[in-house]
Amino acid sequence: MTDNHAALTYSSYLALDEILGAQRPRSDEHDEMLFIVIHQVYELWFKQLLHEFARAQQVLTNGETAHALHTLRRSLTILKVVVAQIDVLETMTPRQFTSFRERLDASSGFQSAQFREVEAVLGRRDARVFRHYPAGAPRSRIEAAMNRPSLFDSFLTYLALHDYEVPAKSLHRDVSAPLEPSPELQQVLLRVYQDDAGEAQICERLVDLDEGVQEWRYRHVKMVERVIGHKVGTGGSAGAEYLKTTLFTPTFPDLWAVRSEL
């Protein structure tokens, strides 16, 4: 038998021709290439985060502590890399960004469907995001994510499998609704922390993840302020003023509420 397929190479395995040909600046300005590469890399990391979160939900709903801890640690490490990329973007001065900004037309980071999907997996339920998405595949993916159990819902299933008496209204809640703090659930979480076993470590990794998301939001706001001040954002968004409204909102409110009782 003859293998008619070309030998696999580093370049063909990684599809480097497609990836390295995907940067198409719309101006001759030196800094536009950096802007494009940074945001394309963001999208690749968002794709990987969604991949890891799907794995985390799977192992949590199977009750697998070790695998859940590993996957959550990896997700947190990726998130730290995403935040650190802002340092690179901030090497661009306001004048350098302005030199090509008008070429962006109506495009805006608010249109990142993958980031909206990341938010949905983490529990955000906000129909206002759909004004940035016409009917089609990206909108459908976000809607589907908003109607599936969130990462925290999978965590509650994990606790129930480990014989913690998770309140029925939390365990069987309407997953299309926003997460709301629950005093009854917080009592269960207190017992988890008092037992100080693997389940408590899962709690801490979720808190790490929550803190990482809040750090990303803060750094993002300051980066936008640094580059465009309080101008209207690209695509007509409210820019930094809108981003400020997302700050200091916990992703997993019950895990923060119990800390005053520990």
Side-chain angles (χ1 to χ4, degrees):
M1 296 180 65
T2 302
D3 185 357
N4 293 320
H5 296 287
L8 185 67
T9 66
Y10 176 81
S11 179
S12 62
Y13 178 67
L14 296 178
L16 291 184
D17 287 345
E18 293 92 326
I19 292 173
L20 298 179
Q23 296 75 48
R24 295 184 286 273
R26 303 187 70 194
S27 75
D28 294 326
E29 297 295 334
H30 173 80
D31 297 283
E32 189 179 359
M33 179 65 79
L34 174 68
F35 186 82
I36 292 171
V37 168
I38 284 284
H39 286 83
Q40 288 180 338
V41 172
Y42 274 141
E43 291 297 329
L44 287 172
W45 282 129
F46 293 158
K47 181 174 184 176
Q48 187 63 33
L49 277 174
L50 289 169
H51 185 63
E52 298 300 336
F53 288 157
R55 169 67 171 170
Q57 290 194 264
Q58 178 187 34
V59 295
L60 282 169
T61 54
N62 290 338
E64 302 175 32
T65 301
H67 289 155
L69 285 171
H70 174 78
T71 306
L72 290 171
R73 277 196 294 266
R74 177 182 290 175
S75 301
L76 178 63
T77 304
I78 292 170
L79 186 56
K80 287 182 179 296
V81 172
V82 169
V83 174
Q85 285 185 182
I86 293 176
D87 291 336
V88 182
L89 199 53
E90 285 184 339
T91 65
M92 186 184 302
T93 68
R95 189 176 184 86
Q96 289 168 338
F97 179 56
T98 302
S99 71
F100 64 85
R101 186 187 184 202
E102 65 180 19
R103 303 296 183 96
L104 303 180
D105 294 336
S107 63
S108 168
F110 285 98
Q111 297 163 350
S112 172
Q114 284 198 122
F115 182 68
R116 296 304 184 190
E117 195 174 351
V118 167
E119 290 184 314
V121 173
L122 293 175
R124 188 178 183 193
R125 303 289 184 265
D126 187 350
R128 290 175 298 178
V129 304
F130 294 123
R131 62 189 173 202
H132 298 289
Y133 308 96
R139 180 181 180 125
S140 297
R141 284 187 59 178
I142 300 167
E143 288 177 332
M146 286 189 177
N147 285 283
R148 289 196 301 266
S150 69
L151 181 61
F152 194 74
D153 292 312
S154 298
F155 168 63
L156 296 185
T157 299
Y158 164 84
L159 289 182
L161 288 172
H162 285 254
D163 298 323
Y164 287 96
E165 296 181 3
V166 179
K169 67 179 183 179
S170 295
L171 191 61
H172 305 296
R173 75 181 192 90
D174 176 4
V175 297
S176 67
L179 289 167
E180 297 289 346
S182 165
E184 295 83 6
L185 177 58
Q186 289 163 28
Q187 292 303 308
V188 175
L189 293 174
L190 284 173
R191 289 195 289 277
V192 172
Y193 272 107
Q194 289 163 358
D195 291 344
D196 198 22
E199 297 84 358
Q201 290 300 309
I202 296 286
C203 290
E204 285 300 278
R205 297 298 75 76
L206 289 174
V207 171
D208 288 339
L209 188 61
D210 194 333
E211 189 173 351
V213 171
Q214 293 185 59
E215 182 184 3
W216 152 259
R217 293 192 186 281
Y218 175 77
R219 288 296 310 277
H220 191 202
V221 168
K222 300 311 293 183
M223 180 271 293
V224 171
E225 282 188 327
R226 179 171 178 158
V227 176
I228 67 170
H230 295 280
K231 296 176 186 175
V232 173
T234 53
S237 70
E241 291 308 308
Y242 164 76
L243 294 172
K244 285 181 180 178
T245 67
T246 68
L247 295 178
F248 307 116
T249 301
T251 303
F252 310 126
D254 289 302
L255 286 171
W256 290 98
V258 299
R259 311 191 96 69
S260 300
E261 306 297 328
L262 292 173

